[in-house]
Amino acid sequence: MVRCGAALLRKYGNFIDDLRVYVRGGTGGMGYPRLGGEGGRGGDVWFVARERITLKGIKEKYPQKRFVAGTGANSSVRALKGQKGKDCEVHVPPGISLLTDDGKQIGELNAAGERFLAARGGLGGSLATNFLPCKGQKRMIHLDLKLIADVGLVGFPNAGKSSLLSKISLAKPEIASYPFTTIQPKIGKIMYADYKQVDISGFQLSLKTQFRTAFETILLLTKELELYKEELVTKPALLAINKMDLPCAKDNLNELMSQLQNPHDFSHLLDEEMIPANTLEFKEVIPVSTYTGEGIEELKACIRKSIDEEAEQENEEYRKKQLLLLQTSKEQMSRR
């Protein structure tokens, strides 16, 4: 069963998921010894999560990858307390881990609007520092993008997830005829003719390997998804029916299609506590065989179509949001 995740398309082959940058807080301003004036503190460097920002875009816009905040104002007769230096805000994509060169995590930004103080500005000169300013904090920071697959393969052990992943993507998972060959999730990339890429991940949800029909499997997987994270059941879904090269596969497929049309008539096949609260509605049902290659290209096309539809819907919602903000801004300006 294929689950559609985030609708972000990895365009072209130079996608960046790690960027090393230099940050430095501003130097403080000079103090004024004669009147005991205090210089302004140096500006700070902040990382701020924003939608529609990419690490590739940051690298292209700031090829030197250096971010330095402003210097604090010197103390003077007219202003004994110098003004703080200008802060430097660096917009980064959500889902970023912030690491030092030795791999230590110092923070993360998971949602738009979240902020992280990357480098603090130096103190201004004062009596305590003999009126000499302090330099700002400086360091190298890795912006490490947490990779989340666009599509997930969900299935019980020995269902052929690793074989399917190797057929439709560039991943090379271990494949064998016994359960639990794949201990950790594997991520691969589906490459399309127009150079678009889709990340796809395979994982399992249950340790039980008893025999069950395809219909029972779908109900149990749905229940597992509900128990793990209920919102997963609301995501768009495709159903890939694997091992169509086996005897009686077509008869079993016809039986399954009949059961999917009226799932409540067959829910008695499971114990009541194993029946999911909601049934999945599949956008497409694609019979495949990783052994013969049957249906593989059709499945890849369906994945691409579903991802594109989700991306277009997300873009449309973004455009509506921006239009609403623009209209609100115009109304506020007209009232002034």
Side-chain angles (χ1 to χ4, degrees):
M1 183 169 64
V2 181
R3 305 286 312 172
C4 295
L8 299 176
L9 297 179
R10 314 304 190 200
K11 295 185 178 181
Y12 313 109
N14 53 350
F15 172 73
I16 297 175
D17 60 8
D18 181 83
L19 188 65
R20 185 173 182 261
V21 299
Y22 171 82
V23 294
R24 191 184 78 205
T27 302
M30 291 289 294
Y32 196 70
R34 191 173 69 179
L35 298 177
E38 183 178 333
R41 191 166 69 84
D44 303 319
V45 180
W46 291 86
F47 291 137
V48 184
R50 290 283 187 271
E51 296 288 353
R52 297 182 173 272
I53 299 293
T54 65
L55 295 184
K56 178 184 174 185
I58 296 173
K59 183 179 179 181
E60 291 176 347
K61 188 174 181 179
Y62 306 100
Q64 299 301 318
K65 295 175 288 184
R66 292 173 57 88
F67 301 97
V68 180
T71 302
N74 294 332
S75 173
S76 65
V77 175
R78 293 184 178 181
L80 292 179
K81 175 66 175 178
Q83 288 188 347
K84 183 177 182 292
K86 185 178 180 181
D87 288 346
C88 174
E89 285 196 356
V90 185
H91 293 169
V92 300
I96 286 287
S97 292
L98 306 170
L99 310 173
T100 59
D101 269 343
D102 59 3
K104 180 182 178 182
Q105 182 170 325
I106 56 177
E108 59 183 10
L109 298 170
N110 295 317
E114 291 185 0
R115 301 167 62 88
F116 176 81
L117 180 59
R120 188 179 295 278
L123 294 175
S126 64
L127 180 62
T129 64
N130 198 25
F131 300 100
L132 296 176
C134 297
K135 293 183 178 180
Q137 182 184 15
K138 61 180 181 180
R139 55 183 171 178
M140 304 298 299
I141 296 180
H142 286 263
L143 306 178
D144 187 54
L145 184 62
K146 303 173 186 178
L147 292 180
I148 303 175
D150 302 287
V151 178
L153 297 176
V154 183
F156 290 117
N158 221 25
K161 298 183 301 300
S162 295
S163 298
L164 183 58
L165 186 62
S166 68
K167 284 289 185 179
I168 64 177
S169 77
L170 302 179
K172 302 296 182 185
E174 184 180 350
I175 300 171
S177 59
Y178 53 85
F180 309 114
T181 308
T182 307
I183 303 301
Q184 297 294 332
K186 300 290 184 180
I187 294 182
K189 290 183 182 293
I190 304 179
M191 304 291 293
Y192 291 95
D194 60 356
Y195 301 104
K196 283 190 178 179
Q197 305 173 29
V198 171
D199 294 338
I200 185 165
S201 172
F203 61 96
Q204 59 202 27
L205 290 177
S206 176
L207 302 181
K208 299 178 181 179
T209 57
Q210 66 192 61
F211 175 79
R212 58 180 64 86
T213 67
F215 180 71
E216 291 172 329
T217 297
I218 292 170
L219 293 184
L220 288 172
L221 284 175
T222 305
K223 184 67 175 181
E224 292 261 14
L225 289 170
E226 282 184 346
L227 294 174
Y228 179 73
K229 186 179 291 186
E230 195 170 358
E231 66 185 60
L232 289 175
V233 184
T234 66
K235 291 184 176 293
L238 305 175
L239 178 62
I241 309 298
N242 192 21
K243 304 187 180 181
M244 288 301 297
D245 53 286
L246 297 179
C248 302
K250 292 185 177 179
D251 292 338
N252 292 336
L253 176 62
N254 292 333
E255 180 182 2
L256 173 62
M257 296 301 292
S258 175
Q259 292 170 326
L260 289 176
Q261 291 175 1
N262 302 286
H264 296 293
D265 295 342
F266 300 91
S267 58
H268 64 276
L269 297 173
L270 293 176
D271 294 335
E272 186 174 351
E273 65 271 14
M274 299 303 297
I275 299 174
N278 301 288
T279 56
L280 280 172
E281 293 187 6
F282 299 104
K283 300 179 70 172
E284 299 283 351
V285 178
I286 309 100
V288 302
S289 169
T290 57
Y291 180 73
T292 65
E294 175 188 348
I296 297 299
E297 291 303 317
E298 182 184 354
L299 175 59
K300 290 169 65 174
C302 288
I303 291 173
R304 171 64 184 274
K305 179 183 177 182
S306 183
I307 290 288
D308 286 349
E309 288 175 350
E310 288 297 301
E312 181 57 34
Q313 182 178 346
E314 187 177 274
N315 290 335
E316 182 62 27
E317 291 174 355
Y318 177 80
R319 285 192 291 266
K320 289 180 179 179
K321 182 179 178 180
Q322 293 299 104
L323 180 61
L324 180 60
L325 290 175
L326 180 61
Q327 291 174 342
T328 303
S329 177
K330 287 182 177 179
E331 290 175 358
Q332 292 175 346
M333 292 292 292
S334 63
R335 294 171 184 169
R336 295 178 181 176

